[in-house]
C-alpha cells in the first residue's frame, strides 16, 4: 500500500526500504490490540534476532521515525488515524521458556504471552507466577510497565531482564539489568521508548502442578465473573496513590471503585461504554473508534474529579495522538 497518507511519505518509504522485504506498509495496528480500535502503523516489522533489531535501529535513525515496541497490544489505544512510525514486533525467536529448577528460576522470551507462561510454569511444578494468567500481555510488556494483578506483579518475582537500547550505536547488543536497575514502580519502569526487553528471568518456588493449576483456575473464574470480555484495553486508569486517596482509603478505594461511586457504570459516548461489570474498563463496539474511547475517558475523569477531587491518570498507553487534541 502507498505511504502517501502520512505527513512524511519519503521517511516512511526510506524506513521500509532499509527494513527490506519483511517490512509492511500501512499495516494493521489498532486491529491487533485487545481494544481493536484505531488505525494502521506506517511501517510494521517483526524482529527475530539481534540483526533485525539493528536494522530497526538503522531504519529509525535514517528516517527519523519513532519506534513503537508492540507486545500483545493489551495496554495500547491507537489513534484512529494510526501511528506514523515503525511498529516493532518480536517474533518466535523471542518466544522460548527455559526452566532452572535447581535455582527455582525461569527464563522467558519477551514475546511469550503471560497466560502461556503461567500455565507452563504451573504444569512444570513452578509456583509464584499463577497471577500472570490474568494479565493478557507479553513478558516484555509486563517488564516495561511492571504489570500485575491478584496480589502480585513483575517487581515481586523479576530477577533481571535483557534489554536492547535501540538508541545506542550497538543497537543489537542486550544488556542484563537486575530488577533494581529497572526502577519498577506502580505500572511503570525506568525503561525508555528506545529500550526493548528481549527476555526476563523470574524467580518462584517449587509446588505441585495440581495446586498451581487449581490457583490458575480460580483466577480465570474470578476474571470471568468480575471483568468484561469483548473489545477493551484492560484497566483504563491507575489506582489513586495513597496521598491522594487518603491513607485510610488507599487500600480499599481503587480507580474502579471511584468511578463506580460516581455512578458511571454504563455511561456511553458513541461506540464506547463504561463496563457494567467493572467500572475501570471501557468496552468498544465492533467497528468502534478510538476517539469515542478517549472522549469517554475524559468525561469519566472529569466527573470523578468533580465528585471526589481525585484526578485519575490513564494506565493505558496512548499511541498516535501527538497531533490530536488530548484531554489528558
Amino acid at each position: 500500500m502507498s505511504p502517501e497518507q502520512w505527513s512524511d511519505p519519503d521517511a516512511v518509504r526510506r524506513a521500509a526500504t532499509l527494513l527490506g522485504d519483511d517490512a509492511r506498509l500501512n499495516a494493521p495496528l489498532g486491529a491487533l490490540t485487545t481494544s481493536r480500535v484505531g488505525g494502521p502503523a506506517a511501517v510494521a516489522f517483526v524482529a527475530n534476532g539481534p540483526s533485525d533489531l539493528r536494522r530497526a535501529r538503522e531504519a529509525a535513525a535514517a528516517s527519523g521515525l519513532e519506534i513503537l515496541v508492540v507486545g500483545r497490544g493489551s495496554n495500547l489505544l491507537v489513534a484512529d488515524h494510526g501511528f506514523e512510525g515503525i511498529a516493532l514486533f518480536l517474533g518466535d525467536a523471542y518466544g522460548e521458556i527455559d526452566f532452572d529448577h535447581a535455582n527455582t528460576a525461569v527464563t522467558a522470551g519477551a514475546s511469550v504471552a503471560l497466560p502461556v507462561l503461567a500455565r507452563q510454569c504451573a504444569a512444570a511444578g513452578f509456583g509464584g507466577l499463577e497471577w500472570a494468567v490474568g494479565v493478557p500481555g507479553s513478558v516484555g510488556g509486563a517488564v516495561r510497565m511492571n504489570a500485575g494483578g491478584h496480589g502480585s506483579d513483575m517487581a515481586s518475582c523479576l530477577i533481571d531482564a535483557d534489554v536492547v537500547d535501540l538508541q545506542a550505536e550497538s543497537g543489537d547488543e542486550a544488556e542484563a539489568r537486575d530488577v533494581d536497575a529497572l526502577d519498577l514502580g506502580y505500572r511503570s519502569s525506568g525503561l525508555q521508548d528506545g529500550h526493548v526487553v528481549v527476555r526476563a528471568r523470574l524467580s518462584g518456588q517449587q509446588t505441585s502442578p495440581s495446586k498451581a493449576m487449581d490457583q490458575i483456575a480460580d483466577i480465570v473464574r474470578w476474571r470471568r465473573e468480575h471483568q468484561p470480555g469483548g473489545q477493551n484495553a484492560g484497566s483504563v486508569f491507575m489506582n489513586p496513590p495513597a496521598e491522594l486517596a487518603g491513607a485510610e482509603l488507599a487500600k480499599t478505594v481503587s480507580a474502579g471503585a471511584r468511578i463506580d461511586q460516581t455512578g458511571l457504570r454504563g455511561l456511553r459516548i458513541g461506540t464506547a461504554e463504561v463496563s457494567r461489570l467493572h467500572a475501570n474498563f471501557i468496552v468498544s463496539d465492533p467497528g468502534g473508534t478510538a476517539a469515542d474511547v478517549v472522549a469517554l475517558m475524559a468525561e469519566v475523569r472529569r466527573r470523578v474529579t468533580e465528585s471526589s477531587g481525585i484526578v485519575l491518570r490513564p494506565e493505558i498507553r496512548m499511541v498516535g495522538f501527538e497531533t490530536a487534541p488530548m484531554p489528558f
Side-chain angles (χ1 to χ4, degrees):
M1 296 178 67
S2 169
E4 300 304 323
Q5 72 180 76
W6 305 105
S7 64
D8 191 345
D10 289 339
V12 174
R13 278 190 285 266
R14 190 177 305 118
T17 298
L18 289 170
L19 288 170
D21 293 340
D22 294 329
R24 295 180 60 196
L25 289 168
N26 295 349
L29 181 58
L32 298 180
T33 67
T34 56
S35 59
R36 297 198 287 281
V37 297
V43 185
F45 180 68
V46 179
N48 269 304
S51 62
D52 286 343
L53 292 177
R54 183 170 61 251
R55 287 163 64 196
R57 175 181 64 83
E58 293 170 350
S63 65
L65 295 181
E66 178 185 351
I67 290 181
L68 172 70
V69 182
V70 183
R72 299 184 66 80
S74 62
N75 194 47
L76 299 180
L77 181 65
V78 180
D80 292 314
H81 66 264
F83 168 66
E84 188 166 351
I86 302 168
L88 178 65
F89 299 82
L90 298 183
D92 292 342
Y94 297 103
E96 75 284 353
I97 299 175
D98 295 310
F99 293 100
D100 178 358
H101 287 282
N103 295 300
T104 59
V106 58
T107 299
S111 66
V112 173
L114 285 177
V116 171
L117 177 63
R119 292 182 185 280
Q120 290 202 21
C121 285
F126 187 92
L129 288 167
E130 293 87 351
W131 62 270
V133 78
V135 182
S138 66
V139 167
V143 172
R144 182 185 180 87
M145 68 167 290
N146 187 24
H150 304 279
S152 192
D153 58 14
M154 290 298 288
S156 66
C157 56
L158 184 65
I159 300 171
D160 54 40
D162 291 346
V163 179
V164 172
D165 184 355
L166 294 181
Q167 296 188 1
E169 290 188 7
S170 55
D172 57 344
E173 295 181 6
E175 173 192 2
R177 301 191 183 190
D178 66 28
V179 64
D180 292 334
L182 291 166
D183 192 23
L184 300 183
Y186 174 60
R187 302 298 178 262
S188 67
S189 73
L191 296 174
Q192 305 300 310
D193 287 344
H195 292 142
V196 184
V197 177
V198 294
R199 63 186 53 82
R201 191 161 58 106
L202 306 157
S203 64
Q205 60 273 336
Q206 298 297 328
T207 188
S208 70
S210 60
K211 180 180 178 181
M213 291 304 293
D214 285 346
Q215 187 173 347
I216 281 178
D218 287 342
I219 292 172
V220 171
R221 187 180 308 111
W222 185 93
R223 284 178 60 83
R224 287 175 178 167
E225 292 174 354
H226 295 90
Q227 296 181 356
Q231 300 182 189
N232 70 80
S235 296
V236 175
F237 295 104
M238 298 183 187
N239 291 332
E243 61 269 22
L244 295 180
E248 73 282 1
L249 294 176
K251 293 183 179 180
T252 58
V253 181
S254 62
R258 290 284 182 186
I259 298 166
D260 201 18
Q261 290 166 358
T262 313
L264 301 182
R265 288 197 192 208
L267 179 67
R268 172 175 283 269
I269 292 181
T271 59
E273 181 178 283
V274 176
S275 170
R276 297 173 188 273
L277 192 59
H278 191 307
N280 199 22
F281 283 65
I282 290 178
V283 181
S284 296
D285 296 340
T289 68
D292 287 343
V293 175
V294 170
L296 186 54
M297 289 173 64
E299 181 63 11
V300 166
R301 192 170 81 153
R302 184 189 71 79
R303 294 198 194 185
V304 169
T305 301
E306 188 177 78
S307 66
S308 69
I310 298 296
V311 179
L312 296 175
R313 296 180 299 149
E315 181 171 322
I316 59 178
R317 186 176 183 187
M318 319 289 282
V319 174
F321 290 92
E322 292 80 4
T323 59
M326 285 293 295
F328 302 112

